Amino acid sequence: MAIIGNIIKGFIEARDTLSSESNPTEEQQKVLQELLEKAKDTRFGEHYGFDVILASENIQKTFAENVPYFDYNKISNEWWTHTLNGEADITWPGSPDFFALSSGTTGKKSKRIPVTEDMISSIKRAGIKQVYALSNFDMPGDFFEKEIMMLGSSTDLRERKGHKEGEISGISASNIPFWFKKYYKPGEEIAKIDDWDERVLTIAKEAKNWDIGALSGIPSWMELMLKKVIEHHNVDHIHEVWPNLQVYTSGGVAFDPYEKSFNALLGKPIQIIDTYLASEGFMAFQSRPDTNAMKLITDNGIYFEFVPFKPEYINPDGSLVANAPSLTLEEVEEDEDYVLIISTVSGAWRYVIGDTISFTDVERAEIKITGRTKFFLNTVGSQLSVNKLNDAVKHLEEELDIKIPEYTLCAKRFDDGFYHSWYLGSDQSLDSSKTAEILDTYLKQANKNYKVARSKALEGVKVAFVPQNVFAEWSGANKKKGGQVKMERVMGEEKFREWEAFVAQELQS
């Protein structure tokens, strides 16, 4: 009998029963006030008159009117560069001990995002909130005695100018509470291995020594790790190695495109729980089983704003136009796409994180990630967001009985005009012309702007199949394998030329 597990489960359920109903709108108002109060004497707070904002009748409105939007380049060049050089009290009191390295899904040069002690505390609190929410999922008592595989980037952080640098998953894992270390796998020693392939091979060799009950990490890299474990032990599925695996906490990207290929690695169904942990903070998690949407964490040091995701508000590089209107949590509507704006305890202010979301339940503050501002395919008026592209790929999987966990595309100019040129990652290769026809037909039916574009400047769809591992090798060649690295779903023509040359080289080797 799982005595300790049942004690932990009972505590979580009692804690959840005693907790009062939250009011996300009021929590957000309080968070903004606390952020402004704490940062009012920083150089940023003095420059933008936080004292004046705090004295106004409507703090949220005055804040939006007086502080401009910042993307990474703008806030880094104007403010965080001083923080990186060791100056204190720039956008947040004191100096951060950590910087999160994030190449994200664009560019080879890493971004350096401050991670303050307040942010580390915020991430820990969010993790605890997620554990408490497990009471809603009716997990058995013995689940709470199993180990958790957290597959992130290396925890071997680099020293630089008096601070440490690494991806947010590595920073978080290096700061886990002492009481959690007995549950944490692959353990500190293996987690420090910087080379992704070596780390995964070491995990595979040790896998049968662990009793894993839960997995946590980005789907694409988690799949590759599971495949390596399955291959190393010559078994049919992961439950032959980890029979007590019951939960996968996904994060960073929408899980839908990976669902079919991920499930193929399992011996029995498990609970999928989505989370939203980015380099800038832990923003949301799935708090109940009867939805796959995530609840924004509205009382934990992050203030959210929402800009309607419309072409007139988006610059070609994915940034926002200066006068784009922002909405508060009490003003948003369900089933509309918004660009997410955050202000945080790490000194990010009205920061365009680059993700787009939609609300599935405004009262509960539940959202889905729908894409990236830079992955909005609007060439020749087609207006396709990543969630529409994901839906199209899922339709393909069902129609063709195929697994396509990765893909990328570009609105590419050919001799006879523009085509949407797709590369589908699959170890099965089917008729490209038939696949293109299915994609084209689905998108015309699902998206009126695409249908209009197809009657004008968009000539059609072209499709090429490539092995799934090519996408992982592309990420490795351009950035780094594992961790927070995600595949570009939509590329510009210049990047796409690099991609096509890389694919041709990989297929020849």
Side-chain angles (χ1 to χ4, degrees):
M1 182 177 179
I3 297 174
I4 295 175
N6 280 310
I7 291 172
I8 295 171
K9 181 182 179 182
F11 170 77
I12 290 171
E13 289 176 344
R15 168 64 171 73
D16 190 65
T17 302
L18 292 171
S19 62
S20 57
E21 283 294 314
S22 64
N23 184 318
T25 298
E26 291 179 2
E27 289 172 346
Q28 280 288 274
Q29 292 169 353
K30 183 180 178 182
V31 165
L32 178 59
Q33 182 161 350
E34 290 172 346
L35 290 172
L36 295 172
E37 287 278 5
K38 187 152 187 178
K40 65 184 179 183
D41 296 324
T42 63
R43 203 180 302 179
F44 189 96
E46 291 175 347
H47 182 83
Y48 286 105
F50 282 9
D51 274 336
V52 174
I53 296 171
L54 283 163
S56 66
E57 290 185 5
N58 188 327
I59 292 177
Q60 291 172 291
K61 182 181 178 184
T62 308
F63 176 66
E65 290 173 345
N66 285 270
V67 180
Y69 297 121
F70 286 89
D71 60 13
Y72 173 78
N73 289 331
K74 180 176 171 63
I75 199 167
S76 179
N77 292 337
E78 296 181 12
W79 298 97
W80 287 348
T81 184
H82 301 291
T83 306
L84 271 166
N85 289 331
E87 297 178 50
D89 304 327
I90 302 301
T91 63
W92 195 251
S95 297
D97 292 328
F98 302 93
F99 279 83
L101 300 178
S102 172
S103 57
T105 41
T106 54
K108 296 181 183 180
K109 187 177 179 182
S110 287
K111 301 174 182 177
R112 286 182 164 83
I113 297 163
V115 181
T116 62
E117 284 298 325
D118 289 318
M119 179 55 75
I120 290 173
S121 296
S122 170
I123 292 171
K124 287 180 180 177
R125 285 194 301 270
I128 292 171
K129 286 174 181 285
Q130 186 172 22
V131 170
Y132 287 151
L134 286 173
S135 63
N136 298 325
F137 291 85
D138 193 29
M139 304 303 298
D142 64 354
F143 169 76
F144 297 95
E145 295 183 347
K146 305 306 178 188
E147 294 162 325
I148 300 175
M149 169 63 69
M150 296 172 62
L151 187 69
S153 55
S154 171
T155 58
D156 189 17
L157 307 178
R158 294 186 288 277
E159 296 275 356
R160 185 178 187 269
K161 295 183 178 180
H163 61 259
K164 293 182 177 181
E165 295 183 343
E167 288 189 14
I168 192 64
S169 56
I171 293 172
S172 299
S174 67
N175 283 276
I176 60 174
F178 73 92
W179 55 266
F180 183 68
K181 291 184 179 180
K182 66 173 288 188
Y183 300 100
Y184 165 59
K185 293 299 178 213
E188 294 180 72
E189 188 174 332
I190 296 174
K192 286 183 178 179
I193 299 173
D194 190 52
D195 182 87
W196 161 260
D197 294 314
E198 181 185 348
R199 187 165 7 121
V200 168
L201 180 58
T202 308
I203 288 171
K205 290 176 179 177
E206 294 290 330
K208 282 204 170 181
N209 297 324
W210 303 327
D211 188 7
I212 301 297
L215 305 171
S216 177
I218 287 180
S220 54
W221 302 110
M222 186 61 70
E223 275 196 26
L224 292 176
M225 184 274 288
L226 293 177
K227 285 180 178 178
K228 177 61 72 174
V229 174
I230 291 167
E231 173 192 322
H232 183 81
H233 294 282
N234 193 28
V235 294
D236 292 329
H237 54 74
I238 196 62
H239 277 107
E240 292 186 60
V241 181
W242 295 326
N244 295 310
L245 175 62
Q246 299 177 65
V247 171
Y248 170 44
T249 302
S250 176
V253 295
F255 180 69
D256 285 357
Y258 302 94
E259 182 176 11
K260 188 169 185 177
S261 57
F262 186 88
N263 286 341
L265 304 175
L266 307 176
K268 56 188 175 184
I270 64 175
Q271 176 68 56
I272 308 297
I273 301 177
D274 271 329
T275 63
Y276 187 4
L277 171 62
S279 299
E280 295 83 358
F282 196 156
M283 284 169 278
F285 61 84
Q286 182 184 342
S287 65
R288 56 194 181 98
D290 44 348
T291 179
N292 57 4
M294 297 176 289
K295 179 179 174 60
L296 285 174
I297 309 173
T298 51
D299 63 348
N300 194 36
I302 301 177
Y303 175 68
F304 301 101
E305 296 173 84
F306 313 92
V307 174
F309 188 41
K310 297 181 178 179
E312 59 264 34
Y313 301 145
I314 312 294
N315 291 314
D317 64 356
S319 62
L320 292 177
V321 301
N323 63 348
S326 67
L327 305 178
T328 63
L329 190 55
E330 59 189 328
E331 297 171 317
V332 295
E333 298 178 1
E334 292 175 8
D335 300 321
E336 296 289 333
D337 280 1
Y338 296 101
V339 179
L340 186 63
I341 312 297
I342 60 173
S343 299
T344 78
V345 290
S346 270
W349 295 103
R350 305 202 79 212
Y351 184 88
V352 185
I353 193 170
D355 291 326
T356 60
I357 60 98
S358 67
F359 282 86
T360 60
D361 189 319
V362 171
E363 188 176 346
R364 286 190 171 104
E366 288 181 340
I367 64 163
K368 284 187 175 182
I369 300 173
T370 57
R372 299 280 293 170
T373 55
K374 292 184 179 181
F375 294 174
F376 183 52
L377 190 60
N378 194 34
T379 308
V380 296
S382 50
Q383 293 190 24
L384 290 172
S385 57
V386 170
N387 63 323
K388 298 293 193 302
L389 302 176
N390 287 344
D391 289 345
V393 171
K394 198 163 187 177
H395 176 73
L396 264 186
E397 290 184 322
E398 293 168 357
E399 285 287 304
L400 301 176
D401 191 24
I402 190 173
K403 296 186 288 288
I404 309 171
E406 297 287 9
Y407 69 88
T408 192
L409 73 152
C410 173
K412 180 180 174 181
R413 189 191 300 273
F414 290 81
D415 291 340
D416 57 339
F418 275 104
Y419 287 80
H420 283 178
S421 183
W422 291 68
Y423 278 78
L424 303 175
S426 176
D427 296 330
Q428 299 169 259
S429 186
L430 301 180
D431 185 299
S432 295
S433 298
K434 178 185 177 183
T435 306
E437 184 180 340
I438 294 171
L439 269 177
D440 189 42
T441 301
Y442 175 84
L443 288 169
K444 280 190 286 191
Q445 292 172 349
N447 188 284
K448 63 181 180 182
N449 292 311
Y450 178 86
K451 185 176 182 180
V452 170
R454 281 289 284 113
S455 68
K456 295 181 179 179
L458 184 62
E459 298 295 332
V461 171
K462 294 181 183 289
V463 165
F465 285 95
V466 294
Q468 185 183 342
N469 73 293
V470 172
F471 287 83
E473 294 304 321
W474 165 261
S475 292
N478 282 270
K479 305 154 206 158
K480 192 175 183 179
K481 290 183 178 179
Q484 301 297 112
V485 177
K486 307 156 199 168
M487 182 64 200
E488 304 99 318
R489 294 306 192 200
V490 176
M491 295 184 184
E493 287 198 70
E494 182 178 348
K495 189 69 172 284
F496 201 66
R497 282 194 291 272
E498 294 178 23
W499 160 257
E500 293 198 299
F502 179 83
V503 171
Q505 183 179 349
E506 285 291 302
L507 295 180
Q508 287 175 0
S509 60

